[in-house]
Amino acid sequence: MILSIFFLFVSSVSATNILLRSGGILKGKVMNQDGNQIEILDENGKRVTVPKTNVLKVVYKEHSEQELAAIRKEEERKLILATQGKQSQSQKNQLDTKTAKPIPIKQIVLSPDGDLCEFYASKSEWFWLYGNFPITNQNSWIELLPEDDRPIRISYQSNWLDTTVTILLGSLTSISRKTKIIEICEF
């Protein structure tokens, strides 16, 4: 008795419906499977090997034709959604790579305080909360650097215009302005 219940259980578990992407259904028992293919013993006793790329879904329970049609419809819907998700992610990645500009990499050699340096370029920068938080793009000064690898000195200074703007705006809004000075130094 226990043996017959065991065989009944094993036969019901191994009876499968394989929904194919092409629209067909294979019925039988799974004999063997791996990551690439499924081998079944179909209803006629013939061994059939199906590549998993052709399989939409493997259903391990007996279902009516209407239930299998509903399962197929749901699996096809999931497949369409997954394909659309991959396409939109691919499009997003393409947009990201088109819009993202690489930051230029340049070796900067800073000069010690004792070197003789001469003025090269300057750029005004704006700050909020009395110089604690930058408002302007902090990497915009990189375009001012010389093309060669000469040592440079970078410092902040406040000229008369910076001081005047800071006094007038800073007392009302806490906005201040400083000038970044870039100097080229001798070796």
Side-chain angles (χ1 to χ4, degrees):
M1 164 115 171
I2 294 176
L3 192 57
S4 62
I5 292 173
F6 175 75
F7 282 120
L8 180 65
F9 176 76
V10 169
S11 65
S12 67
V13 168
S14 61
T16 59
N17 292 302
I18 299 176
L19 304 178
L20 300 174
R21 289 181 185 245
S22 62
I25 298 175
L26 285 176
K27 295 185 179 198
K29 296 180 184 178
V30 173
M31 302 305 288
N32 192 8
Q33 70 175 313
D34 59 22
N36 299 322
Q37 60 189 13
I38 298 175
E39 183 181 342
I40 66 166
L41 185 63
D42 70 5
E43 295 173 319
N44 300 327
K46 182 179 170 188
R47 287 188 181 261
V48 178
T49 302
V50 180
K52 283 195 174 177
T53 56
N54 295 346
V55 174
L56 180 64
K57 174 120 177 134
V58 177
V59 182
Y60 289 97
K61 287 176 60 178
E62 279 297 318
H63 291 283
S64 68
E65 295 298 319
Q66 292 85 10
E67 291 172 326
L68 288 175
I71 292 170
R72 173 181 296 285
K73 187 175 180 180
E74 178 64 20
E75 289 302 313
E76 288 172 346
R77 185 187 70 79
K78 288 179 188 178
L79 189 62
I80 290 170
L81 288 176
T83 303
Q84 289 173 345
K86 286 180 185 177
Q87 287 174 350
S88 65
Q89 183 64 32
S90 173
Q91 290 169 349
K92 181 180 180 290
N93 290 343
Q94 287 174 354
L95 285 175
D96 288 346
T97 57
K98 287 180 184 176
T99 57
K101 295 180 181 176
I103 297 174
I105 298 173
K106 178 159 180 56
Q107 181 177 357
I108 299 174
V109 179
L110 298 177
S111 174
D113 286 336
D115 287 353
L116 292 174
C117 300
E118 61 183 49
F119 176 82
Y120 180 74
S122 66
K123 182 163 184 80
S124 296
E125 295 183 357
W126 294 86
F127 296 88
W128 177 69
L129 201 57
Y130 303 106
N132 288 317
F133 300 103
I135 297 174
T136 55
N137 182 359
Q138 291 299 293
N139 293 327
S140 64
W141 63 274
I142 292 175
E143 63 193 31
L144 299 175
L145 294 176
E147 294 298 318
D148 56 0
D149 290 334
R150 293 182 285 179
I152 61 172
R153 180 182 301 150
I154 301 172
S155 61
Y156 277 107
Q157 294 179 359
S158 292
N159 58 26
W160 69 270
L161 185 58
D162 295 334
T163 304
T164 304
V165 168
T166 299
I167 289 172
L168 293 176
L169 286 176
S171 61
L172 299 173
T173 62
S174 77
I175 293 177
S176 61
R177 182 177 128 162
K178 297 177 188 176
T179 301
K180 185 175 280 189
I181 306 290
I182 299 174
E183 299 172 293
I184 297 176
C185 303
E186 299 296 323
F187 288 104

